């Protein structure tokens, strides 16, 4: 998270809100969306991947367990059209 967003989050987090990056970890990769193309990005969808908790330009805060997928790794990649 940028310097300005970090300051904002220090103020807003105690109130239960803030500006945060969100990614979903599936099969050892963190999947996210951005309107900016970058490394690991599909420019036509905005979906990109990076190692978990290592998204460039963001500071890791916490993980929330959302359970497990019943899809195979291949099915996840097909779903994401990679």
């Amino acid at each position: 998270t940028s310097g300005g967003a970090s300051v904002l989050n220090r103020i807003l987090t105690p109130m239960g809100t803030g500006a945060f990056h969100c990614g979903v970890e599936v099969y050892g990769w963190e999947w996210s969306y951005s309107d900016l193309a970058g490394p690991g990005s599909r420019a036509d969808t905005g979906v990109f991947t990076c190692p978990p908790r290592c998204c460039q330009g963001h500071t890791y805060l916490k993980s929330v367990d959302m359970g497990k997928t019943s899809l195979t790794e291949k099915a996840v990649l097909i779903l994401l059209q990679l």
Side-chain angles (χ1 to χ4, degrees):
T1 309
S2 71
S6 293
V7 171
L8 182 63
N9 282 337
R10 278 195 293 263
I11 296 166
L12 295 176
T13 298
M15 294 181 248
T17 189
F20 303 98
H21 162 77
C22 177
V24 177
E25 183 179 339
V26 183
Y27 289 111
W29 288 97
E30 179 179 313
W31 297 91
S32 302
Y33 170 82
S34 176
D35 61 343
L36 303 173
S41 170
R42 290 202 43 193
D44 56 334
T45 67
V47 174
F48 70 95
T49 187
C50 64
R53 299 172 299 280
C54 295
C55 187
Q56 187 176 19
H58 298 281
T59 303
Y60 173 75
L61 179 63
K62 68 178 179 177
S63 294
V64 176
D65 188 348
M66 296 172 57
K68 300 198 180 296
T69 179
S70 60
L71 298 176
T72 64
E73 186 171 2
K74 182 178 179 179
V76 169
L77 294 175
I78 290 169
L79 178 68
L80 295 170
Q81 299 178 20
L82 298 178

